[in-house]
Amino acid sequence: MFEGLYDIDWSSMEHAYGSAAEVPGLLLGLRSPDREERRKALVRFYSAVHHQGVVVPCTTASLPFLFELAGDVATPDRAAIVDLLVSIGTAAVEECENQYADLVDFAGAAAVVRERAEVFVGFAADADPRVRRAAIPGLALFLDDTDRAAAVLRDRLSAEPGTAERLLVVDAMATLALRVPALSDGAMAWFDELAADASRDPGTRLAAVVQQARCAPEQISKDTVPAAIDLLREMANATVPDGERPAPAFHVTPTTPEAPAAGVAPQVVAAFEDLDRKGLVHAPTTHLLRTFHETLAGRVSQRTALLAQQLRTPDPGSRLDAIRMSAELMKSWRGDHASLILQVSEHLGATEHEVAAEAAAVLEECHAIAEPARDALAAHVAAHGPDAWAAPHSEQRRAHQEAVRALGRLGDARAVPSVLAALDSGVDAWRAVEVAGTLIEAADQLVPHLCAHLRRVDHTQRWLGSGAAALLSALGDLRDQAALPSIIDTLTAAVRHDQAGTTSAALKALATFGPAAAPALETIRPLTAASDAHVRPDAVAALWAIGGDREEVMPLLGELLTGRPFFWKTRAADVLAEIGLPAVAALPQLRQLLTDRYDWVRIHGAAAVWTIGGEAETSIVLDILLQAWSQNPATGDHIVAFLDRMGLAAEPALPQVRSELTLPRRNARFASIRRDEELQRGCHAIIGRLS
């Protein structure tokens, strides 16, 4: 094994991070007797040699050695090597016909994989089911004789004892049919035969229904989803002999909350944990059902019915994955999701903490439409009490925290005791801070705790994460004047220690208080000439909001309008719009923004021009707004909010407003449910007023 490995001039090639001289060591590491060394080698191989699915010359040069590793039964983790081969081969075959620079080598890798395609036939019949699972997708992609590929897949289905492997075989047949249209009729007939064969297990029949829909989505009938639901129900009711019962899909051991590593913001740690969590699959049918949902696309009512059955399955892993699929539907597609929200909320009481935690997390993520779950969230929070915020069991803790956050996002005061407990204990306090600003009615209780946290911020640290900013944002949202001394002190400290991010956050918070924040003006005025690009416009905006002196602020706004950063122009336009008609002297400069190359500058400029100039500017302003909306749909929620303020003058925009509501996909910035729901409400309000 590895004969000729060092005959290759690896140092003359490069991977994603530089010289490929380390590749021989990675290949040797994949065969190491040490598990951790193998894991590190595989992770490095994916990140550097097969970076984000790219195939480069050193990737191709590695293939013969990877085939040797995968073919030797003495190699540990053979399935992982086969999976790597299939990943490289899939990328190579899919991209080999396209023209690329010499830096990549899809064509070379595709040739190697196709030459050795028969190896995958052997892997797909391996004694190790993990190797079979890894190899089966390659049967649809690498065999040049596609008729033989179809025959191999049919034979494999008959011989395969494992449910997960059978699902992969049917999936591979659909991939083959999509790759080679001449095989489509035969594949569709095979799917029909499988779906109708009552002697087959329900999982295989379900796979046939799903893959037939995948190959011909235009042929999905009113009976397709009900048939799939019946098969899911049959699978859920099937009796599995004890000896064949699969191991639990997951288990979570109790852990105590841990502080993040030094210098790493807890939000960053949590984000990576969430990515890892979402990458897990807990049931063999998950990939199949996700494929079905992708195929059904905007058929919201059918997908909701399908999810209702998925959420009723006895298997906790299947339910957990179904909860995540529910979030994917609600985040991507418009429609009436009230029943799905309620079905997800029923899992807050699941005996499996991870299922309950995922349900709570989805409700928090979809809080903008989570009103039907309000009482279920409150009941869950009350049942465990504020101390559950710091529960020793990691998933029980997560379930409570996410439920509190979802309830808090709804502005429900029943979240307050747990938020206060979080602020008092300091355990994951940042999670509570993020929702504290929505609990306006409890401002008098929350502000002292938030200010105490703010006073403990060490402004000498160069990396503060978003901790201080989040605290300032919450205090600004609550607008309790008792917070003003702490915010002003924070601004002073941030300026002294050159903490630009905290300075900007403090300026924005102070601006929400208006004239009540006048004691801060002495500190704010010098910042209107700050060198930091973000601090300067924030200082000018705060100066106007607090001081209200038009003569003082107009020259400063004029300077921002001529500045290079686009956000100077948009911020200045917004402040001038707040000033209104008395800012008429700025109209010539604002009109220049209407020809800016950046759509957001044109939009903010147009809004200011109309607000100051009045109805005489309506025609050109509407042209700018509607053109920007057509070119960049992500501007829609902002534009619709302004059209709503325009009143009767917005009537020429009615066709585009109506057209927006015909779109089935969510269509707002940052894939935000909240923004999209606001966009739809704004459209309905405009139509109701003008129709």
Side-chain angles (χ1 to χ4, degrees):
M1 183 169 289
F2 298 124
E3 183 178 350
L5 177 63
Y6 292 101
D7 294 339
I8 297 171
D9 186 3
W10 297 100
S11 61
S12 68
M13 295 180 276
E14 291 190 348
H15 56 43
Y17 301 109
S19 171
E22 67 172 314
V23 172
L26 296 178
L27 291 167
L28 292 169
L30 293 173
R31 192 179 167 80
S32 170
D34 182 78
R35 181 177 181 179
E36 180 62 15
E37 186 177 345
R38 295 196 304 273
R39 186 194 68 80
K40 288 180 178 179
L42 186 64
V43 168
R44 180 63 177 176
F45 201 100
Y46 270 107
S47 67
V49 187
H50 186 36
H51 180 70
Q52 296 183 353
V54 173
V55 175
V56 292
C58 70
T59 321
T60 303
S62 303
L63 286 174
F65 305 105
L66 291 174
F67 274 106
E68 285 186 19
L69 283 166
D72 186 350
V73 294
T75 298
D77 304 330
R78 288 176 62 228
I81 308 299
V82 175
D83 200 47
L84 176 57
L85 281 168
V86 171
S87 178
I88 294 170
T90 300
V93 168
E94 290 178 349
E95 299 291 337
C96 65
E97 301 298 329
N98 298 323
Q99 294 296 319
Y100 290 99
D102 293 339
L103 294 176
V104 298
D105 189 30
F106 291 114
V112 174
V113 173
R114 283 170 169 156
E115 286 170 3
R116 301 180 183 232
E118 284 298 322
V119 174
F120 291 96
V121 177
F123 288 155
D126 196 89
D128 186 342
R130 295 168 300 177
V131 172
R132 298 202 302 274
R133 285 196 293 271
I136 287 168
L139 299 177
L141 296 168
F142 307 146
L143 289 165
D144 287 330
D145 185 343
T146 53
D147 287 330
R148 180 162 183 275
V152 169
L153 287 169
R154 289 190 182 94
D155 292 343
R156 189 66 247 147
L157 185 69
S158 300
E160 185 54 66
T163 299
E165 292 76 32
R166 288 196 296 269
L167 300 186
L168 286 169
V169 170
V170 182
D171 180 279
M173 183 66 85
T175 299
L176 182 63
L178 291 168
R179 172 188 162 205
V180 186
L183 298 176
S184 180
D185 289 345
M188 294 293 278
W190 189 58
F191 295 145
D192 265 335
E193 177 187 332
L194 291 176
D197 187 351
S199 67
R200 294 277 184 181
D201 65 283
T204 300
R205 294 166 63 199
L206 176 63
V209 170
V210 171
Q211 300 304 339
Q212 189 172 53
R214 175 188 167 203
C215 288
E218 72 283 355
Q219 295 181 25
I220 294 174
S221 72
K222 62 181 178 61
D223 299 322
T224 302
V225 172
I229 291 172
D230 286 343
L231 288 165
L232 275 173
R233 190 176 295 118
E234 188 177 338
M235 292 175 69
N237 295 333
T239 301
V240 181
D242 289 340
E244 298 179 18
R245 191 175 300 278
F250 54 79
H251 67 279
V252 180
T253 55
T255 59
T256 54
E258 293 183 3
V264 180
Q267 298 90 326
V268 174
V269 175
F272 277 102
E273 288 175 349
D274 196 45
L275 282 174
D276 289 341
R277 192 179 293 114
K278 289 183 177 179
L280 297 175
V281 172
H282 301 94
T285 55
T286 294
H287 174 73
L288 175 68
L289 290 168
R290 184 164 279 124
T291 296
F292 199 20
H293 281 288
E294 290 170 355
T295 300
L296 291 169
R299 296 174 174 88
V300 172
S301 61
Q302 291 178 296
R303 291 180 65 181
T304 300
L306 179 64
L307 283 164
Q309 179 57 42
Q310 291 178 243
L311 290 166
R312 283 194 289 267
T313 183
D315 174 53
S318 297
R319 283 186 278 121
L320 191 152
D321 289 343
I323 290 169
R324 291 179 180 167
M325 289 183 220
S326 300
E328 291 163 8
L329 171 61
M330 293 187 286
K331 287 162 58 180
S332 300
W333 298 92
R334 294 170 175 172
D336 183 358
H337 297 303
S339 66
L340 189 53
I341 285 288
L342 284 171
Q343 291 168 55
V344 170
S345 72
E346 291 172 2
H347 290 77
L348 291 169
T351 55
E352 305 86 7
H353 294 311
E354 188 164 1
V355 174
E358 197 62 34
V362 165
L363 293 172
E364 195 277 337
E365 196 172 7
C366 301
H367 65 269
I369 56 173
E371 178 61 35
R374 180 190 289 266
D375 288 341
L377 286 164
H380 178 79
V381 169
H384 296 86
D387 290 344
W389 183 276
H393 192 295
S394 62
E395 290 302 316
Q396 185 180 7
R397 183 169 69 247
R398 178 171 168 252
H400 184 79
Q401 291 182 1
E402 295 291 4
V404 169
R405 283 160 57 87
L407 195 60
R409 301 278 193 199
L410 293 171
D412 196 305
R414 288 174 286 187
V416 172
S418 290
V419 171
L420 290 173
L423 295 174
D424 282 340
S425 69
V427 174
D428 296 332
W430 65 273
R431 292 183 182 273
V433 170
E434 288 185 347
V435 300
T438 63
L439 298 166
I440 306 296
E441 294 179 5
D444 59 333
Q445 299 176 66
L446 294 168
V447 165
H449 294 77
L450 294 169
C451 288
H453 277 266
L454 190 60
R455 287 191 294 271
R456 288 196 291 269
V457 171
D458 182 359
H459 297 283
T460 64
Q461 293 184 16
R462 299 313 305 164
W463 169 247
L464 295 180
S466 59
L471 287 162
L472 290 162
S473 177
L475 291 169
D477 290 338
L478 294 173
R479 299 185 188 182
D480 187 319
Q481 293 187 19
L484 278 170
S486 293
I487 299 174
I488 294 171
D489 288 347
T490 298
L491 174 64
T492 303
V495 171
R496 183 167 63 251
H497 294 287
D498 195 25
Q499 292 282 4
T502 304
T503 300
S504 281
L507 289 166
K508 290 174 183 175
L510 289 167
T512 66
F513 289 89
L521 286 174
E522 183 179 345
T523 305
I524 292 172
R525 284 192 174 94
L527 297 176
T528 61
S531 58
D532 184 85
H534 292 275
V535 168
R536 185 171 176 179
D538 289 336
V540 174
L543 183 62
W544 165 250
I546 298 167
D549 186 335
R550 188 173 68 254
E551 292 185 3
E552 180 180 26
V553 81
M554 285 291 288
L556 299 172
L557 292 169
E559 293 173 7
L560 293 178
L561 287 174
T562 59
R564 289 181 61 85
F566 78 88
F567 52 86
W568 283 20
K569 300 171 186 177
T570 57
R571 195 68 183 278
D574 290 348
V575 175
L576 287 164
E578 291 175 15
I579 295 172
L581 184 59
V584 67
L587 274 177
Q589 280 185 287
L590 286 170
R591 289 194 182 100
Q592 291 179 18
L593 302 186
L594 304 185
T595 59
D596 194 275
R597 63 181 182 178
Y598 188 39
D599 47 16
W600 282 104
V601 173
R602 297 196 302 275
I603 291 166
H604 285 261
V609 165
W610 191 87
T611 303
I612 297 168
E615 292 193 7
E617 308 286 351
T618 298
S619 179
I620 187 171
V621 164
L622 284 177
D623 284 346
I624 294 292
L625 295 177
L626 297 182
Q627 184 181 58
W629 189 6
S630 296
Q631 293 173 348
N632 182 3
T635 63
D637 60 304
H638 185 88
I639 289 173
V640 166
F642 182 71
L643 292 175
D644 195 20
R645 293 198 299 273
M646 289 181 72
L648 297 177
E651 185 173 5
L654 268 177
Q656 196 158 331
V657 171
R658 289 195 177 101
S659 177
E660 173 64 37
L661 291 178
T662 66
L663 301 176
R665 275 194 177 275
R666 294 203 182 274
N667 202 30
R669 279 178 291 170
F670 313 126
S672 166
I673 294 180
R674 178 183 63 80
R675 290 180 184 276
D676 186 73
E677 291 292 315
E678 290 173 354
L679 168 61
Q680 294 180 71
R681 283 195 294 271
C683 288
H684 284 298
I686 292 168
I687 292 170
R689 182 188 308 113
L690 300 179
S691 297

